[in-house]
Amino acid sequence: MIDQDCKVTTESPVGALAALQRNAKEPGDTAFSYSAFIAYKEANSAKRGIARQREPLQRCPKMSDAGGKTQYDNVHEVAIPDLKGFDALVAEEGHISSSADGQKVDTEYTLLTGRKGQFVLQSFINRASGAEEQNRDDAVNALSLMLGRLKSS
């Protein structure tokens, strides 16, 4: 979540029954990604959760982690027309200019958050600048795969 000062905070999702996150890296650390799944008690809690994902995109073109070391800029919402099947979808992209250890980096990221009923799915990926289209394609594929698995269970 993003607080009023545009800082990334860690907090438990309100109304959630369970949450799971899986991290992955490509060999050579050329890409980092994670997928997340949150099961809420009811669809209204999931709706509020995804609304909290969208709101900061309107007011925070720059964000940082709580310690101020990881710096995000050019943060904005994008349209992803080829991703179907969700009740709601938030697509965020931006640039990371410094990492959690304060080192200068030049990476682009895509974060997709989709809601289906009482479930919220997320897919995040970042790579060196110039890979925005590949990031978007990989995030869409991951979120589509997660939704397919959710529907088949």
Side-chain angles (χ1 to χ4, degrees):
M1 295 283 114
I2 310 301
D3 69 13
Q4 292 302 314
D5 297 324
C6 298
K7 301 246 189 259
V8 178
T9 64
T10 304
E11 60 184 62
S12 297
V14 176
L17 294 171
L20 176 66
Q21 180 173 316
R22 180 178 175 212
N23 300 329
K25 285 185 184 180
E26 283 186 355
D29 294 337
T30 56
F32 169 79
S33 64
Y34 74 78
S35 297
F37 171 85
I38 305 169
Y40 286 89
K41 293 176 187 174
E42 57 186 37
N44 282 337
S45 295
K47 284 180 186 178
R48 286 190 293 276
I50 201 166
R52 290 184 69 196
Q53 185 77 29
R54 175 174 276 127
E55 185 275 330
L57 298 176
Q58 311 307 313
R59 63 177 173 81
C60 295
K62 291 183 179 245
M63 299 178 190
S64 66
D65 65 4
K69 290 188 176 181
T70 305
Q71 297 291 319
Y72 305 88
D73 50 62
N74 192 28
V75 176
H76 58 281
E77 189 169 5
V78 294
I80 306 287
D82 51 343
L83 191 54
K84 308 276 188 252
F86 288 95
D87 299 328
L89 182 69
V90 176
E92 171 185 333
E93 290 185 337
H95 178 260
I96 303 172
S97 57
S98 66
S99 64
D101 60 4
Q103 298 294 317
K104 283 206 149 297
V105 294
D106 185 18
T107 62
E108 302 292 334
Y109 75 90
T110 299
L111 171 62
L112 303 181
T113 305
R115 182 184 68 82
K116 184 69 175 173
Q118 71 190 70
F119 303 104
V120 172
L121 312 172
Q122 279 192 324
S123 176
F124 171 90
I125 187 154
N126 76 348
R127 286 187 178 87
S129 288
E132 296 88 351
E133 188 172 328
Q134 186 177 4
N135 284 352
R136 191 178 290 177
D137 289 346
D138 288 349
V140 165
N141 289 339
L143 210 60
S144 295
L145 179 62
M146 292 169 65
L147 181 61
R149 289 179 177 166
L150 177 65
K151 287 180 176 180
S152 67
S153 61

